[in-house]
Amino acid sequence: MANITRRKFIATTATGALAATVMPRALFAQGEEMVFGAVLPLTGASASIGEDQRRGVELAVEKINASGGVLGKQLKVIIEDSAGNAQSALNAAKKLVSVDGAKVVMGEYSSGITVPLREALAREGVVHVNCGSSSVKLRQSGGGSAFSVIGLDDLMARFTATALRDKNFGKAAIILPNNAYGESMNAEFAKAFQAAGGEVVQTLLYTEGQSSYRRELQQVARFQPDVYVYSAYGQEAAIINREAFELGQKQTPWFGIYLTMCISDAPKETVEGQLGAEVNFIGPDSAWYQDAYTKKYSEAFRSAFNGYLYDAVAMSAEAINKANSTDPAAVLAAARELEFQGATGLIKLDGDNERAVQDYLRAIVKDGSVVSA
């Protein structure tokens, strides 16, 4: 996607209704559409994030269609609900490919779902775009027919380890979900933290979907860490934060990996002052995207993740246009050649088709909001 000015983008989105009535007659033959699919957690523990991701899709589709579409066709992105469940996600992807004819499928949010989703799409020969997951297992599960617009855990783990050591935290207790993401982050963080001179005194990989984590939190507290390092999804993070607050464990610092994910549904008093690391919300030249989001939805970003869906849709469209084809091999080859200026910054792919460089933010919860630390 050629870089566009903020003024041009806002003008485009502001005239979306006009474009919907005029542009199809001018540029698109009747009935011709380019279909992409997205599998997002619109219900379940991460529903708040899923809704925000859906907004990123909407902004991308409006911009692309107002700019001429994909291979001269109007782009349509069909979004299916994973409900935060792997089997539901696989069923949704099958429907998107076999019934809707999707040429590209994006999603999901949890690595525990994205890894099998990517493997299934590879067997179908359909391009998969990872836009919210970070397990390093994704490096091996694409079968050469996938790419990521978000960095993986090896990048985030090194950033987090450095941030903690800069705060002079030497002993860390780790709390992560027992899934592909948790296993990946646990291994990558332990390696990075040890290399930086720190020690992991205890690791808890918790079972998702529990109504309480009180017993596990009490067990971890016995190791008297300098800092709790954790990551959890929406509603589960809310339970963990509330119960740690009630147990008095918030007297020890807490550090959230993907901080906005950890606090999105938590009571504000339980996360005030919490430190964390977060993917960069927007790139250095992407104020136009933030303005467009605010203009359309009349509120600030709900999470850090909507821009990655915008980038997934827009980069896929640009790769197809560059390849002048929807053939998966041609699309992947074109994506590898791009230096894509997205809402989240410059995206270039490494030898595994993963995002080579990812900007992160050191953050803190202050007065109920996430700000730079």
Side-chain angles (χ1 to χ4, degrees):
M1 181 183 73
N3 204 4
I4 64 174
T5 65
R6 166 182 162 184
R7 183 177 177 182
K8 181 178 180 181
F9 181 86
I10 293 175
T12 294
T13 54
T15 56
L18 177 63
T21 57
V22 176
M23 295 300 287
R25 287 196 296 270
L27 295 177
F28 308 122
Q30 185 175 6
E32 286 193 348
E33 292 180 329
M34 177 67 68
V35 177
F36 292 175
V39 182
L40 304 176
L42 301 178
T43 58
S46 299
S48 297
I49 301 292
E51 166 59 23
D52 203 38
Q53 292 177 310
R54 186 186 62 77
R55 292 178 172 186
V57 172
E58 288 182 343
L59 288 168
V61 170
E62 288 180 4
K63 191 273 173 184
I64 291 166
N65 283 338
S67 301
V70 182
L71 297 183
K73 299 179 181 180
Q74 188 171 28
L75 175 62
K76 178 180 181 181
V77 179
I78 300 174
I79 301 175
E80 296 289 344
D81 182 15
S82 70
N85 176 278
Q87 189 57 56
S88 296
L90 293 173
N91 292 341
K94 183 177 181 179
K95 180 258 184 184
L96 288 169
V97 173
S98 62
V99 177
D100 300 315
K103 303 302 183 186
V104 173
V105 175
M106 295 157 279
E108 205 258 4
Y109 179 57
S110 165
S111 294
I113 299 173
T114 303
V115 170
L117 178 68
R118 174 170 283 193
E119 292 171 345
L121 290 167
R123 290 192 293 273
E124 294 292 331
V126 174
V127 174
H128 170 252
V129 184
N130 168 41
C131 43
S133 298
S134 58
S135 171
V136 293
K137 289 184 178 180
L138 290 166
R139 289 192 183 279
Q140 288 83 43
S141 59
S145 60
F147 67 92
S148 293
V149 296
I150 190 169
L152 301 187
D153 288 337
D154 47 354
L155 304 181
M156 173 59 101
R158 289 196 291 272
F159 179 87
T160 297
T162 300
L164 291 169
R165 292 299 291 139
D166 287 348
K167 291 282 187 181
N168 292 319
F169 294 131
K171 298 190 301 180
I174 309 303
I175 302 171
L176 295 165
N178 189 13
N179 61 18
Y181 163 58
E183 293 171 359
S184 167
M185 181 56 76
N186 180 42
E188 295 299 324
F189 175 76
K191 184 167 55 179
F193 196 50
Q194 184 176 14
E199 177 188 6
V200 176
V201 295
Q202 178 67 353
T203 298
L204 166 63
L205 297 181
Y206 66 83
T207 300
E208 298 173 82
Q210 297 178 207
S211 59
S212 174
Y213 297 93
R214 189 176 293 266
R215 179 175 60 85
E216 291 90 337
L217 289 169
Q218 290 172 320
Q219 290 175 344
V220 174
R222 295 173 186 166
F223 292 85
Q224 299 183 325
D226 296 334
V227 60
Y228 291 97
V229 180
Y230 83 114
S231 197
Y233 305 108
Q235 292 297 325
E236 290 167 356
I239 296 172
I240 289 171
N241 276 298
R242 176 174 51 79
E243 294 185 334
F245 181 78
E246 293 169 350
L247 290 167
Q249 289 176 255
K250 290 302 177 95
Q251 296 176 17
T252 298
W254 279 62
F255 189 102
I257 300 176
Y258 300 109
L259 184 59
T260 60
M261 176 177 81
C262 297
I263 70 165
S264 60
D265 295 298
K268 289 184 178 180
E269 68 273 15
T270 69
V271 297
E272 182 67 21
Q274 194 169 117
L275 300 168
E278 188 53 85
V279 288
N280 199 1
F281 288 63
I282 58 172
D285 300 318
S286 302
W288 55 267
Y289 175 75
Q290 193 164 21
D291 289 346
Y293 180 103
T294 303
K295 183 180 179 67
K296 184 173 179 64
Y297 300 108
S298 301
E299 62 176 338
F301 288 159
R302 284 190 177 185
S303 77
F305 293 94
N306 60 78
Y308 293 91
L309 263 296
Y310 178 94
D311 286 349
V313 176
M315 186 170 176
S316 298
E318 183 160 321
I320 290 174
N321 281 334
K322 179 179 177 65
N324 195 29
S325 169
T326 58
D327 175 75
V331 174
L332 265 295
R336 282 193 293 270
E337 294 177 359
L338 292 178
E339 293 190 0
F340 179 78
Q341 294 288 347
T344 63
L346 176 65
I347 300 176
K348 295 177 64 176
L349 303 182
D350 64 17
D352 294 326
N353 294 342
E354 303 299 331
R355 185 164 181 168
V357 178
Q358 169 74 64
D359 290 332
Y360 297 101
L361 302 172
R362 298 185 187 192
I364 185 171
V365 182
K366 185 175 182 180
D367 297 329
S369 299
V370 176
V371 299
S372 297

